[in-house]
Amino acid sequence: MEMMLLMLGKNITCLHAPRRDEQIRVAERNDAAAAAAAVGEEAAAVSAFQGLTKPAISIGGYLERIFRFANCSPSCYVVAYIYLDRFLRRRPALAVDSFNVHRLLITSVLTAVKFVDDICYNNAYFARVGGISLMEMNYLEVDFLFGIAFDLNVTPAAFASYCAVLQSEMTYLEQPPAVDLPRLHCCPSDQDDAGCHHKQQQQQQQQQHQLAV
C-alpha cells in the first residue's frame, strides 16, 4: 500500500498549489461570515485550533514554508488533505478561517507524515516550521487525532479518489490564458497586394519585438 501511495504521489508534486487556492477561498469566505456574525458580540474560540489573532504570514506563504521545510513525500499532502476532510466532517461547527487554518494545516501534515513516511522530523521541528510552541504542537496533534477518531488508515481507493479531485484542480489552474490571435487583413484587390503584404510584415516584426522584450 505504501508503494502505491508513493507512486501516485509522484504525480502530484505540486499539490500545494491547488490546496493553497482552495484554503484561501474558504478562509476568506468564512472570515467575512465570522465578521458579520460577531458584530455587537465577542467571538468565542470554537476549538484549540482557533487563534485570537490572524498570523502575520499569509496562507499561501505558510503552505510554501511547510512544503519547503517538511521534506516529506508528496503522498503526505494527499493524506493530510484526507485527514482535514475527515476532521471537518466530524466537527461541522468549526469553520475554516484565517484564525485557525494555519494550525489545521501544520497539524494535518504532521499527522500524515508520521503515518506515511518511515523517517520524519519530530514535533519540535514541526513546531518551529509552524511558528508555534512545542507544547501547543503536541496538544494540537492530540486534539486532531481525537477529532478524526484516530481514523488514520487510507485505502488505495480513497487515496486515488482524492488524487483525482486534486489533479482536476491542478489541470484547471495550469490551463494557459486565452490569447487573442492577430486579425488578418484581407486585400480587396490585386492592386493592394503589395501594400497589404507590407502591413503584415510590419505586424509580424512588431510581434517579434514584443516577444523579445
Side-chain angles (χ1 to χ4, degrees), residues 82-88 90-91 111 142-152:
I82 296 173
Y83 289 168
L84 270 176
D85 189 37
R86 292 177 180 177
F87 183 83
L88 296 175
R90 290 178 176 270
R91 296 191 179 181
T111 307
V142 173
D143 189 80
F144 190 82
L145 287 171
F146 276 98
I148 62 176
F150 290 86
D151 184 13
L152 299 174

Side-chain angles (χ1 to χ4, degrees), residues 95-116:
V96 177
D97 55 27
S98 297
F99 293 90
N100 57 33
V101 63
H102 297 78
R103 290 176 174 84
L104 287 170
L105 289 172
I106 190 65
T107 308
S108 63
V109 172
L110 168 66
T111 307
V113 168
K114 288 186 175 183
F115 184 77
V116 175

Side-chain angles (χ1 to χ4, degrees), residues 27-151:
E28 289 178 347
R29 183 172 64 250
N30 289 334
D31 282 347
V39 174
E41 62 182 19
E42 183 178 358
V46 178
S47 71
F49 295 91
Q50 200 74 16
L52 299 177
T53 59
K54 295 181 182 180
I57 186 172
S58 65
I59 302 174
Y62 196 72
L63 277 167
E64 291 288 348
R65 177 178 174 84
I66 295 175
F67 188 80
R68 178 182 178 185
F69 292 106
N71 293 324
C72 58
S73 62
S75 303
C76 293
Y77 296 102
V78 184
V79 176
Y81 188 44
I82 296 173
Y83 289 168
L84 270 176
D85 189 37
R86 292 177 180 177
F87 183 83
L88 296 175
R89 287 178 183 272
R90 290 178 176 270
R91 296 191 179 181
L94 178 62
V96 177
D97 55 27
S98 297
F99 293 90
N100 57 33
V101 63
H102 297 78
R103 290 176 174 84
L104 287 170
L105 289 172
I106 190 65
T107 308
S108 63
V109 172
L110 168 66
T111 307
V113 168
K114 288 186 175 183
F115 184 77
V116 175
D117 288 353
D118 295 329
I119 301 176
C120 62
Y121 293 110
N122 56 23
N123 284 27
Y125 180 86
F126 272 91
R128 291 195 298 270
V129 173
I132 57 179
S133 66
L134 174 58
M135 182 181 297
E136 184 177 9
M137 185 78 266
N138 293 337
Y139 184 79
L140 292 177
E141 180 187 14
V142 173
D143 189 80
F144 190 82
L145 287 171
F146 276 98
I148 62 176
F150 290 86
D151 184 13

Side-chain angles (χ1 to χ4, degrees), residues 12-25:
I12 49 173
T13 305
C14 299
L15 170 64
H16 63 293
R19 214 170 147 222
R20 173 185 61 196
D21 293 340
E22 179 182 354
Q23 292 292 350
I24 290 175
R25 292 195 303 268

